Amino acid sequence: MSTDDKKDRLGMSSRAIHAGEPRNQYADAITTPIFQTSTFVFKNSKDIEDYTKNKKERFEYGRYGNPTELIAQKRLADLEGAEDCVVFSSGMMAITTTILSLVRTGDHIVITDDSYKKTLEFCKSYLKRFGIECTIVPFGDYDMLEAAIKENTRFIFSESPTNPYLNVFDLPLLKEIADRHGVMTLIDSTIATPINQRPLEFGIDLVTHSATKYLSGHNDILAGAVLGRSDLIAPIRSLHKSMGGLIDPHCCYLLLRGLKTFPMRVEKQNATALKVARFLEGHPDVERVYYPFLESHQHYSIAREQMKGGGCVVTFVMKGELADANRFMDCLEMILIGPSFGGAETLITHPATVSYYDYTREERYELGVIDTLFRLAVGLEEVDDIITDLDQAFKRAKK
Ligand SMILES: *Cc1c(COP(=O)(O)O)cnc(C)c1O
């Protein structure tokens, strides 16, 4: 039995540590070496011929591949249950390179409105310049989604769960609709991670991740990935070599290092977030809580069916006005104010004054970004300390 066969039988936590690691190849080091090199040299003309004519696999130039990067790609593919993976310098680089590799002038794409702001902007504004039409459909309206599909539709793109309301896409239904019309499906699975959801198992064609979030998990790097069948990944990898959105080897090492604790981090964050969500739901100063594993969430049953855990993001609406929201934030002691999620530190964001500060109140409200909306991303601290901090901030905010 080959090592890879044995590895197939390992659980997620073991695979997060061992998958893709040719450990005894490099000076018997236990950790993955950082190949801080831009170029790889040939020994002689025979070596060149083996590479060019005989198609021997090896490294040539940094933009075409690096061993540290290759190990990260193998490990991520293993965790997501994908045949192949490309790692990028950021989540947006993964999304934009993937989309560009799929479309040509005259094509049409469908994307749901509950998508990452920069993904929507790219599809709406930039693709238009190249004659690629984009229809944005309301998340969860499957009739409108199906009606939006045209003869030239190349793919349907959505996030699941979404940000900040954690809406969950019915993946089997998406697959059914897409198959009826012969279009591809892409899911940005960043908020779920391969621990909580594996879209490829539902027949989704390509999965993207911002590895900046849970996969690296320490709020210290930006990275992205796309995963799927080898024949679908090949053209993306090819374009990646031209676009050049490479992850650097040191950054890639940090991703691999983060991945070793990724399953246990997510398991803990699932448990912490559910407790915090229940606490918030029972709190007199809280109007509403959005968490996919709370019975009150509109997609609770879909979430329970296709996800293993609810993840670390808990969204809530505080009672009161903008001034109350600001006072509440100012009273937090341990919880830090900042974007992102999936890291060790618990973070809170106030979309009304940060991501949507340049929108009018009406525009924000149309998007559901109301004055007292908060997105809490639980970290790895003790759950009781997170709850205590929230509770004291609610109390002091009232004074
Ligand atoms: C953060 C994020 C992105 C963008 O990823 P970067 O690594 O910041 O480029 C895309 N989609 C989702 C759902 C995200 O949370």
Side-chain angles (χ1 to χ4, degrees):
M1 190 184 283
S2 79
T3 322
D4 275 352
D5 288 338
K6 269 188 225 149
K7 280 179 188 161
D8 278 348
R9 291 188 282 111
L10 298 176
M12 284 296 264
S13 280
S14 313
R15 283 152 53 197
I17 294 165
H18 296 289
E21 190 74 69
R23 201 154 263 136
N24 47 15
Q25 272 183 29
Y26 311 112
D28 299 313
I30 188 163
T31 55
T32 315
I34 302 168
F35 286 85
Q36 196 69 51
T37 183
S38 60
T39 195
F40 301 85
V41 295
F42 294 99
K43 283 187 210 69
N44 48 36
S45 57
K46 166 80 171 53
D47 209 19
I48 294 174
E49 203 174 290
D50 277 346
Y51 177 57
T52 53
K53 289 215 185 91
N54 305 331
K55 305 284 169 216
K56 186 185 153 208
E57 281 197 31
R58 56 155 287 156
F59 296 97
E60 181 203 340
Y61 181 65
R63 190 164 13 80
Y64 304 147
N66 173 292
T68 317
E69 177 200 34
L70 181 67
I71 294 166
Q73 290 176 164
K74 284 189 172 166
R75 188 165 306 163
L76 284 174
D78 185 280
L79 293 173
E80 191 70 58
E83 273 177 21
D84 202 1
C85 166
V86 182
V87 168
F88 298 83
S89 54
S90 71
M92 281 317 301
M93 198 70 219
I95 291 169
T96 53
T97 308
T98 298
I99 291 177
L100 286 176
S101 83
L102 292 171
V103 292
R104 58 192 64 204
T105 302
D107 278 352
H108 169 253
I109 62 170
V110 178
I111 178 167
T112 57
D113 61 352
D114 208 0
S115 294
Y116 194 69
K117 209 171 143 197
K118 289 290 171 196
T119 306
L120 276 173
E121 195 178 304
F122 178 75
C123 291
K124 259 194 322 203
S125 314
Y126 293 99
L127 289 182
K128 204 168 157 194
R129 295 189 193 171
F130 304 100
I132 294 139
E133 201 201 342
C134 168
T135 305
I136 300 166
V137 296
F139 188 97
D141 191 331
Y142 299 99
D143 291 335
M144 268 187 87
L145 175 82
E146 182 152 19
I149 301 171
K150 307 182 196 185
E151 204 140 286
N152 57 343
T153 303
R154 189 76 177 97
F155 62 78
I156 303 166
F157 184 103
S158 184
E159 279 168 36
S160 187
T162 65
N163 188 7
Y165 290 109
L166 303 153
N167 289 317
V168 183
F169 213 114
D170 186 332
L171 297 179
L173 185 54
L174 169 62
K175 168 77 178 146
E176 201 184 298
I177 293 169
D179 279 356
R180 255 200 302 276
H181 302 273
V183 299
M184 283 178 68
T185 47
L186 273 70
I187 288 287
D188 179 337
S189 196
T190 301
I191 292 194
T193 84
I195 294 292
N196 287 332
Q197 159 182 289
R198 265 176 286 164
L200 300 176
E201 288 173 2
F202 295 92
I204 300 303
D205 294 304
L206 291 167
V207 171
T208 63
H209 282 288
S210 164
T212 309
K213 315 291 165 56
Y214 296 93
L215 297 175
S216 59
H218 291 73
N219 290 324
D220 55 3
I221 65 162
L222 278 102
V226 61
L227 303 105
R229 274 197 339 255
S230 302
D231 62 312
L232 297 178
I233 293 293
I236 303 170
R237 175 167 283 122
S238 172
L239 180 62
H240 178 52
K241 291 176 182 180
S242 294
M243 300 277 288
L246 271 289
I247 184 166
D248 98 328
H250 188 260
C251 199
C252 203
Y253 171 79
L254 290 173
L255 170 59
L256 281 161
R257 178 179 159 127
L259 278 173
K260 291 183 190 185
T261 53
F262 154 68
M264 58 188 259
R265 284 189 280 105
V266 177
E267 302 278 356
K268 171 153 180 169
Q269 282 166 327
N270 281 342
T272 303
L274 184 59
K275 275 192 198 152
V276 171
R278 292 226 160 97
F279 158 77
L280 288 169
E281 203 166 46
H283 199 282
D285 294 341
V286 174
E287 181 91 41
R288 237 194 117 169
V289 183
Y290 299 85
Y291 188 69
F293 271 43
L294 277 184
E295 292 78 355
S296 58
H297 194 279
Q298 62 166 342
H299 299 137
Y300 173 72
S301 59
I302 305 174
R304 288 307 297 246
E305 248 164 64
Q306 63 189 38
M307 293 176 70
K308 208 181 132 216
C312 78
V313 179
V314 182
T315 297
F316 66 95
V317 177
M318 191 186 159
K319 283 185 188 158
E321 299 166 5
L322 191 61
D324 299 296
N326 280 326
R327 263 201 314 279
F328 165 73
M329 254 190 307
D330 293 343
C331 289
L332 289 166
E333 287 174 347
M334 179 187 76
I335 296 169
L336 303 169
I337 305 168
S340 205
F341 56 87
E345 299 85 3
T346 296
L347 291 169
I348 196 161
T349 53
H350 185 223
T353 55
V354 186
S355 340
Y356 294 87
Y357 80 95
D358 52 346
Y359 286 54
T360 64
R361 195 165 182 267
E362 285 80 63
E363 281 169 344
R364 273 198 287 111
Y365 271 63
E366 222 163 86
L367 295 169
V369 182
I370 59 183
D371 287 341
T372 53
L373 177 76
F374 284 102
R375 189 190 75 186
L376 181 73
V378 307
L380 298 169
E381 303 95 338
E382 297 297 337
V383 60
D384 290 346
D385 293 334
I386 297 170
I387 288 175
T388 303
D389 197 18
L390 292 167
D391 199 34
Q392 66 80 24
F394 281 129
K395 281 199 187 93
R396 283 172 55 214
K398 273 198 281 208
K399 281 177 193 155

